[in-house]
Amino acid sequence: MAAVQLDDAVATVLALPGTYEADHHGRRSFRVGGGKVLATVPEDGVLNVMVDDDVARSAAGAPGVALLWWGQRLSGVRLQLADVEPGLLDELVEAAWRRRAPAALRRQR
């Protein structure tokens, strides 16, 4: 399996309707709708994806996927792009988008 490159992961996120890049406390973030964060890049080779608890827990443990905690709250998954399966990356990004996108955008997809 070829490692997922950050540019490829970013392209996957930005291909979703209404998604755009914005600064998030000095980091790259990707948002939809009224500024809802879908994903962030905390460091090169890592993508944090804001999926719901059920999706996060079911994906955790797959190669390159770990639970992402914000204090005591589960906020998504942390993906080591070199290790994650490209298809799983696509699924997780889509799940985050469906969770955060406004209904009008979801209907377009």
Side-chain angles (χ1 to χ4, degrees), residues 42-43 46-49 64-68 76-80:
E43 59 192 77
V46 175
L47 186 70
N48 291 338
V49 182
V65 182
L67 294 176
L68 176 65
V77 290
R78 179 179 172 92
L79 305 179
Q80 292 291 332

Side-chain angles (χ1 to χ4, degrees), residues 46-53 55-70 73-81 83-85 88 92:
V46 175
L47 186 70
N48 291 338
V49 182
M50 309 322 177
V51 294
D52 69 26
D53 291 7
V55 172
R57 290 182 192 284
S58 68
V65 182
L67 294 176
L68 176 65
W69 294 93
W70 184 262
R73 187 175 71 87
L74 180 59
S75 59
V77 290
R78 179 179 172 92
L79 305 179
Q80 292 291 332
L81 296 175
D83 300 323
V84 71
E85 291 283 339
L88 182 55
L92 293 169

Side-chain angles (χ1 to χ4, degrees), residues 4-14 28 30 44-45 81 89:
V4 174
Q5 300 298 311
L6 181 58
D7 289 345
D8 296 329
V10 167
T12 297
V13 175
L14 291 175
R28 295 174 78 182
F30 306 94
D44 194 33
L81 296 175
L89 168 74

Side-chain angles (χ1 to χ4, degrees), residues 9-24 27-42 46-52 55-56 68 73 75-79 89-102 105-106 109:
V10 167
T12 297
V13 175
L14 291 175
L16 295 166
T19 303
Y20 60 95
E21 185 170 347
D23 180 74
H24 182 71
R27 298 178 177 169
R28 295 174 78 182
S29 76
F30 306 94
R31 299 166 184 257
V32 69
K36 295 180 181 178
V37 177
L38 301 175
T40 63
V41 179
V46 175
L47 186 70
N48 291 338
V49 182
M50 309 322 177
V51 294
D52 69 26
V55 172
L68 176 65
R73 187 175 71 87
S75 59
V77 290
R78 179 179 172 92
L79 305 179
L89 168 74
D90 293 348
E91 289 175 29
L92 293 169
V93 167
E94 176 83 18
W97 181 85
R98 288 194 178 284
R99 177 181 183 214
R100 301 285 175 111
L105 277 179
R106 289 194 313 269
R109 185 137 174 97

